[in-house]
Amino acid sequence: MIFEEKVMQQIRDLVHEELTKHLKNTKQADKKYVIKTYHPDDEEWETYIRPNRDKIFQFLEEGYQYAKLGSFSGCLDGKNLFKNANEVKIAFCDNVWIAISVYSGYRFGYKCVGIAATTAEGYRNLGKRAVKEIIQNDIRLYRRHYWTECSGIIEHYYETAHGIKLPSEFASEILNKDVEIVDDYHYRRTIKNGVVLEKVIYGFNSKSTFDKVYSTYKDYIDKRRFRIECDMLKESESGENDVLKQADVCYRTILIFDELVNDGQANEFPTESITMLKQSVDNLKTLITQNSKYFSKSYLNTYRAAVNMGETLLDIVEPMRIFTF
């Protein structure tokens, strides 16, 4: 009986603990918050940000340690933060700081050098939500060229928000530092105290950077398409029906975009490339609808699946652009 009573008490304690968590999360979900942006030209930059610079630095430091990201390395201290920042965003709830992001003008644009949610239990989930909203706003608007160099959970937030990753070949030029290329998007570089971190860049620090990345994506897709068309010309001597060749070009073009999206490399493409994808989908649909007699059952099934795949991709992808409003 004693054993059973202990088990029942453990169950009651567990239920109470889960219920308490649920109520706390529910209360947090019902709360509203506002995100306020501060700039050096604003009066509150001197009256609010300067006197709170050390607290802002401490907030970020505690947030990074809580998330197991190590120490906040974007600035040396509060004084350095205030000196180098060209923008600060603070999310308030009940007049409490629940999330903060800090930007610098290093290498142009607005580089996010730190972003974190509060560690206060009563506001933690709401703070994480505010962090995601800040990131989504930065990514989607590209207002005045927001960008960031990140890793870990912050990289995850940018990835799930479908931010544009810059190819690692641009990292050294953007940062004006030596880097070690890890893969197409990640690189390693040394930060303070000789610590080496693996990072990735999201966003664009300038219009020229955007233009280079835009051209890189467009050229890559154009060259892939060109090779497909060359292969078709080489196969022309085989006497294969032109309808079959055209369908194969459309099919293989759709696969280029499927590969890029599903490998996690891109969600946004040059406008011309999206037009190419749409034309390939439309042409393939027309070819198999109007010329079904030329295709075996196996090919028809494959190409119909490709049309569905292409239409799904067109719903997912967005044009690569910078908003300047």
Side-chain angles (χ1 to χ4, degrees), residues 39-83:
H39 297 106
D41 293 336
D42 299 337
E43 181 181 342
E44 288 183 303
W45 188 260
E46 287 293 332
T47 61
Y48 189 76
I49 299 301
R50 179 188 284 276
N52 285 294
R53 60 190 182 184
D54 291 333
K55 291 181 179 178
I56 293 172
F57 179 85
Q58 187 62 32
F59 183 99
L60 292 165
E61 177 74 6
E62 291 175 356
Y64 273 62
Q65 291 179 356
Y66 187 93
K68 295 182 172 57
L69 295 174
S71 296
F72 167 55
S73 58
C75 302
L76 298 175
D77 51 31
K79 183 178 180 180
N80 179 258
L81 182 151
F82 181 78
K83 177 183 177 181

Side-chain angles (χ1 to χ4, degrees), residues 56 145 189 193 204 246 288 297 310:
I56 293 172
H145 307 302
R189 75 174 182 88
N193 300 325
F204 303 99
Q246 292 172 30
I288 61 177
K297 184 177 180 180

